[in-house]
Amino acid sequence: MASKLKGVLMNTSSSGMMMNSNASRNLSLVWGGGEPVLEDREKLAFHTEMTVRTYRVDPDVIPALEEYVAAHDAERWDEWDVNYDLVPQVLDYSSSASLTLLFDGRPTVSVNELALQQHGDTDSWSALRSLVLRSIRPDNLLTEEVRQVPGVPSMMDLSPNMLMGLAGIKPAPAPTSDVPHVPDGAEWACPNCGVTGNTGKFCPNCGHPRP
């Protein structure tokens, strides 16, 4: 018997020197302990602030999420990893989109959007995201707060190479070094946003995959 779904987390992030890089959006919808609330944390490209909004959840959203996850046997997605040998290498840009499903009675399921696509599922990410986003409307807005994001440069603080990238000029490549692989279960610091103490496949703050 399938475990009962109790939450959906969806994280997207990008980093690099291309236009609209260094942005992130984290959507969190968890239920089972009172009235469900959707939290939306969004940081625009090269902004030093993050906007955190909470929304009421439309009554049809959670049943639709539960039905979709059950119908697509989503508990098996945790077994799917990205085959990076099939991913084109881009030196000055990276992006990530991760999905986390929370269940009663079984461990969390975490999967990358790219892993879903490589295993032939090109629809589930967008379908679940559309359901989560359905409640984001002005009449559902509960709270809105702007928070400073520590360590994020403003446009005035960008390096010459970053400014050249925004202008479409490719700077000379800098020497690179391999990021050491982090074994399963070991704590790691996110190379994208700097959050420490991570133990899962993806950063819980920005969704960046474990090195």
Side-chain angles (χ1 to χ4, degrees), residues 136-165:
I136 296 184
R137 302 191 310 273
D139 58 304
N140 276 341
L141 182 65
L142 295 172
T143 63
E144 182 172 358
E145 178 185 1
V146 176
R147 301 178 185 174
Q148 187 72 23
V149 180
V152 177
S154 66
M155 291 297 291
M156 297 298 294
D157 298 327
L158 294 180
S159 68
N161 277 354
M162 294 182 77
L163 292 172
M164 289 170 64

Side-chain angles (χ1 to χ4, degrees), residues 12-204:
T12 56
S13 64
S14 63
S15 60
M17 293 185 296
M18 296 174 62
M19 187 66 73
N20 293 326
S21 298
N22 303 293
S24 65
R25 190 173 190 185
N26 306 323
L27 300 167
S28 175
L29 174 54
V30 180
W31 57 92
E35 182 178 356
V37 172
L38 170 64
E39 182 180 76
D40 180 10
R41 295 172 174 244
E42 185 174 21
K43 187 185 82 64
L44 301 179
F46 295 110
H47 279 57
T48 60
E49 297 172 333
M50 171 184 291
T51 303
V52 181
R53 302 180 179 93
T54 60
Y55 296 88
R56 297 182 188 88
V57 179
D58 290 347
D60 61 332
V61 167
I62 291 175
L65 288 169
E66 293 173 334
E67 180 180 353
Y68 190 95
V69 166
H72 290 77
D73 194 19
E75 294 183 39
R76 79 189 192 283
W77 292 347
D78 198 41
E79 304 169 4
W80 295 354
D81 291 319
V82 176
N83 183 353
Y84 286 101
D85 292 337
L86 303 177
V87 181
Q89 297 299 308
V90 180
L91 298 179
D92 57 358
Y93 178 80
S94 66
S95 63
S96 177
S98 65
L99 166 68
T100 300
L101 302 176
L102 308 178
F103 293 93
D104 275 330
R106 68 143 289 151
T108 295
V109 170
S110 296
V111 66
N112 192 286
E113 179 190 15
L114 189 54
L116 289 172
Q117 294 175 351
Q118 289 180 348
H119 284 77
D121 187 339
T122 58
D123 299 324
S124 288
W125 171 269
S126 57
L128 290 172
R129 185 174 173 85
S130 294
L131 288 172
V132 171
L133 292 175
R134 184 183 295 176
S135 298
I136 296 184
R137 302 191 310 273
D139 58 304
N140 276 341
L141 182 65
L142 295 172
T143 63
E144 182 172 358
E145 178 185 1
V146 176
R147 301 178 185 174
Q148 187 72 23
V149 180
V152 177
S154 66
M155 291 297 291
M156 297 298 294
D157 298 327
L158 294 180
S159 68
N161 277 354
M162 294 182 77
L163 292 172
M164 289 170 64
L166 290 174
I169 304 171
K170 190 174 182 64
T176 60
S177 60
D178 292 333
V179 177
H181 172 71
V182 178
D184 291 348
E187 290 192 359
W188 53 279
C190 179
N192 181 50
C193 69
V195 168
T196 59
N198 303 317
T199 57
K201 290 183 180 180
F202 305 99
C203 173

